[in-house]
Amino acid sequence: TTYGIVCWGGEKMLIAGNWVQNARLGMGIDASSVQMSLKDVTVVSNVVEDVRFRGIQMYEFNALKNGVVRGNIVRRAGDEGVLLSGENLHCLENLVENTAWVGERASITLMNGGVNGVIADNVIRNETAGYSDFGIWLYGATNTTVYGNRFEGVPQGAIRDDARNSKLLPKVHSMRKQDSTVDLMVSGLPGMNYRLEVSHDFANWTTVTNLTLPGTAFQELKYVAGPPRLSSVPTFFRMVSAESNH
């Protein structure tokens, strides 16, 4: 087949729970404003495998606003696993594996015209060489927020931000708490220097440790509290960086 699923305009569209395979001449799911404007579209919990071009595309030819690509699995797409262009587009909690082996590409790309987007909590994985050069590429997109993504096997870098006006934020993830110990998972931009800080009142913050995140963008940490015990007072954590725009 040329395309798996096509939605080229409309409002309040939902594409959910599908399995698309072997669209070898085109794309797995194309939710783009080709014939008319597209607004309030959600692509969720689909599986797309073995497609020649893009796995999931949400692209602004006419006006495209308020889109969500969430909880999908994209494997073995020749171009981007997910490509977005439009206003208020969110790419969340997707698994993108072994994509973008044609030319210089990224697993997830937000293109020119992408405004106020969010790319968060995705897992991007290349199991062997020859797949995507970058994990996430902000190709002329403006005012994008990126956080909590995990990367494996992206040779030229986890995130490429051409416009340099996006927010690449660190994040403190799951916590397992005992009486005086907390196991933390933190994420941010690979190679960036961060501080993990702790507070009991949101006003006064103390540095727990300084760290440089590895290439996967994730790191596990253990926090051992002194008096007072964690069970007796609220305890808050945050990741901060001295780098501007991160």
Side-chain angles (χ1 to χ4, degrees):
T1 60
T2 302
Y3 290 85
I5 297 172
V6 172
C7 172
W8 282 351
E11 293 188 14
K12 298 180 180 179
M13 312 299 290
L14 174 64
I15 302 173
N18 301 283
W19 183 17
V20 179
Q21 275 190 316
N22 298 318
R24 295 193 178 275
L25 299 179
M27 284 174 271
I29 298 174
D30 188 11
S32 300
S33 52
V34 175
Q35 296 179 336
M36 63 183 73
S37 63
L38 183 60
K39 181 180 179 182
D40 301 326
V41 57
T42 299
V43 179
V44 61
S45 300
N46 301 280
V47 177
V48 178
E49 297 178 320
D50 300 306
V51 296
R52 176 63 182 83
F53 294 115
R54 292 161 188 148
I56 298 173
Q57 174 172 280
M58 191 176 287
Y59 196 87
E60 182 177 54
F61 294 93
N62 296 288
L64 198 163
K65 185 175 182 180
N66 303 338
V68 176
V69 178
R70 185 169 199 157
N72 302 280
I73 298 173
V74 180
R75 295 189 178 102
R76 299 178 299 277
D79 284 344
E80 295 86 355
V82 180
L83 184 135
L84 307 171
S85 174
E87 183 178 353
N88 298 330
L89 304 185
H90 291 194
C91 183
L92 311 170
E93 301 170 0
N94 301 283
L95 171 60
V96 182
E97 289 187 320
N98 300 334
T99 62
W101 63 79
V102 180
E104 189 177 41
R105 296 285 190 274
S107 297
I108 298 174
T109 298
L110 185 59
M111 292 284 291
N112 295 331
V115 181
N116 301 329
V118 177
I119 302 176
D121 297 325
N122 301 282
V123 175
I124 295 169
R125 179 183 302 136
N126 294 325
E127 296 174 331
T128 60
Y131 291 105
S132 60
D133 299 290
F134 305 96
I136 295 170
W137 193 345
L138 306 178
Y139 187 79
T142 58
N143 196 32
T144 306
T145 301
V146 180
Y147 64 88
N149 301 284
R150 185 164 188 162
F151 307 91
E152 298 178 21
V154 284
Q156 294 191 36
I159 300 173
R160 175 172 171 174
D161 181 9
D162 288 353
R164 303 296 297 173
N165 60 10
S166 298
K167 302 170 186 175
L168 310 180
L169 303 179
K171 180 179 178 181
V172 180
H173 295 259
S174 58
M175 297 183 292
R176 297 186 297 275
K177 184 174 72 172
Q178 299 178 358
D179 209 20
S180 61
T181 303
V182 178
D183 293 324
L184 303 170
M185 180 76 78
V186 298
S187 70
L189 190 63
M192 184 69 63
N193 297 317
Y194 293 101
R195 293 192 311 275
L196 176 66
E197 298 182 343
V198 64
S199 175
H200 299 296
D201 58 10
F202 271 121
N204 301 292
W205 292 90
T206 302
T207 298
V208 175
T209 187
N210 296 291
L211 67 153
T212 302
L213 289 179
T216 60
F218 269 66
Q219 186 165 328
E220 295 184 7
L221 298 170
K222 185 179 293 290
Y223 171 72
V224 180
R229 301 179 74 84
L230 292 173
S231 58
S232 62
V233 295
T235 303
F236 310 99
F237 296 93
R238 71 180 183 185
M239 286 266 287
V240 297
S241 172
E243 299 284 343
S244 61
N245 202 35
H246 294 85

